[in-house]
Amino acid sequence: MMWRRRMERELERDIEDHLTLETEANIARGMSPGEARYAALRKFGNITRVKEDTRSVWLWTWLDTLYGDVRHAFRRMRRGPGTAALVVLSLTLAFVPSVTLFSVMDRMFLTPLPIRAPGEVVEILFRDVRPDADRPLRSISYPEVQDFHRSLNSVTGLAYQRRQGVVALLNGRRATLWASLVSDDFFNVLGIPVPSGPGFSQDRPALIVSHSLWTREFGGRPDAIGRTLLLNGQAFTIGGVATPGFRGTERHITTDLWIPVETWLQLQPRFRDSFGRDSRDGRLWARLQAGVPLAHAAAEVERVSRELAQKWPGTNRDLVGYTYDALRDRERSGRVVTAIGVLLLGILLAVACANVAGILLARAEERRHETAVRQALGASRVRLIREWMVESIVLASLAAALGLVGARLLIHLLPSLPTPIPVNFEFSIGPRVWLYAISMVGLSALSFGLVPAWRGSRPDLLMGLRHDSAVSLFRVRVPVRSLLIVAQVAAAEVLLFGAGLVLDTLGTLRRLDPGFDPHRRVA
């Protein structure tokens, strides 16, 4: 490298300038030129040692040493390609499902909704105060939403939402979509932008489509806005496209359309009976006014609910209004679910690391002659351990690269899975997934590389490796590889029992009676 050669030349010039100045000072003291040069060299010391000490503080020297260790690791892998391939394959089989499942958990549980100031948004529910209530929390009916809208003063807006399945005519074919029947100010209250199109219109029946549906069915063309879309035989105008990061307020069930509830009831009058006061299958979101504490808003909601209980005793007698911080609870529960998932994925990775550690321990025994020769030539134990760890990181990095490729393929295959409801499969390998993959490389390299590196770099290597490396447990010498095998089998048993429980649950769900004849049903 040019910059490396330049620094070497500068070092040579600095040393020569120092020796020249010292030689001239010696000549001024009365020495002959030869004696002065020799005295200067003797005072300066070992030039090679000075150069090495100077290079040790240069950054490129550390990088050069690391580069040499990486090259040495690849040379070792070329000398044992079968062992290296087995290690990489074992780790890849653990990395692929781990990265794929973490990307799913990242999208479902860790990615926040694109809501402006989510700390100001709460959900209003009813709390059933009956002691024998089967559900303590109940949703809101549309007439109750209108009552709250007229009576609440501590909020800047209310947003109603109710899920509705529709049959749409898309490109000459019928498709079942999930729509959300919402209030007109739904997007404004939640603070979700609609970057494309005018949004809901008062002049004509309009709706907003999701970015995924716009891309999938309309090719992402701008002229799709303003086109007519048939839903249940009624014509709606596409008034806008939602922001790409918003697919509904639920974690995993996608929403394709947002339709104003009043427009829907005008065009579909047969649905009015299902919007009665006792039909509580909607969600009500409220945005608090700035500076209004949640306790004040909760007291106001409870006051309005008691007024409704007096006015409508047949449907609201045992219900009390309740403000629920749904977004914060969603975030908290998402972190808990993700932690449990990461723990289970860690067990899977531990199985692979135990397997790889056993392979590398056997490989360390094969290298005992090479290691003994290097120790006899002066190689320190720290240097040998560093080479082992660099090789472990290289193996883990290769497996992680293959794991990311395999995870990407699986992520692309997920939308083709048959599901009875439209599930949000917009998974991707984002920054958190990359960070998770990098942490997997580091943890796995430490897990399967540290023990072989420590055992394989012992000073008394020839004597130590004539017997299997062992540790003392309850005063009994147990071989390390035996411990690894036991741990691997135990972790695999945990995963197998968990998989068996999941399969048994799926089989039970398939045998459940849905309450109707599911044969020959279209939608």
Side-chain angles (χ1 to χ4, degrees), residues 60-187:
W60 66 265
T61 304
W62 179 81
L63 294 176
D64 187 63
T65 304
L66 179 62
Y67 175 68
D69 290 340
V70 173
R71 291 180 58 188
H72 185 62
F74 278 105
R75 285 197 298 269
R76 282 184 167 181
M77 292 167 59
R78 284 197 300 268
R79 282 185 294 184
T83 303
L86 183 59
V87 169
V88 172
L89 179 61
S90 300
L91 293 175
T92 302
L93 292 178
F95 280 7
V96 170
S98 298
V99 175
T100 304
L101 292 178
F102 185 81
S103 65
V104 172
M105 291 187 293
D106 174 59
R107 179 63 180 86
M108 292 175 60
F109 304 117
L110 299 181
T111 303
L113 294 174
I115 293 178
R116 174 179 53 85
E120 300 176 358
V121 178
V122 295
E123 185 178 4
I124 297 177
L125 299 170
F126 282 122
R127 187 172 63 248
D128 197 335
V129 297
R130 292 176 300 177
D132 57 344
D134 55 345
R135 289 187 303 164
L137 295 180
R138 295 185 178 273
S139 299
I140 301 287
S141 66
Y142 188 60
E144 291 165 343
V145 172
Q146 296 172 323
D147 294 332
F148 276 106
H149 195 278
R150 288 189 294 265
S151 304
L152 289 181
N153 299 318
S154 59
V155 299
T156 59
L158 296 175
Y160 173 74
Q161 174 190 11
R162 172 178 169 173
R163 299 192 66 82
Q164 177 68 52
V166 297
V167 178
L169 186 64
L170 296 172
N171 299 321
R173 60 179 177 83
R174 295 184 181 274
T176 302
L177 304 177
W178 275 113
S180 280
L181 306 181
V182 298
S183 54
D184 293 342
D185 55 351
F186 175 80
F187 288 92

Side-chain angles (χ1 to χ4, degrees), residues 34 83 125 157-159 199 232 235 331 338 378-379 386 393 433 458 498 504:
T83 303
L125 299 170
L158 296 175
N232 291 7
E331 185 177 333
T338 304
R386 188 179 67 183
I393 292 174
V433 180
R458 290 182 304 178
D504 182 69

Side-chain angles (χ1 to χ4, degrees), residues 25-32 35:
N26 292 335
I27 292 175
R29 296 187 187 100
M31 294 184 183
S32 64
E35 293 178 349

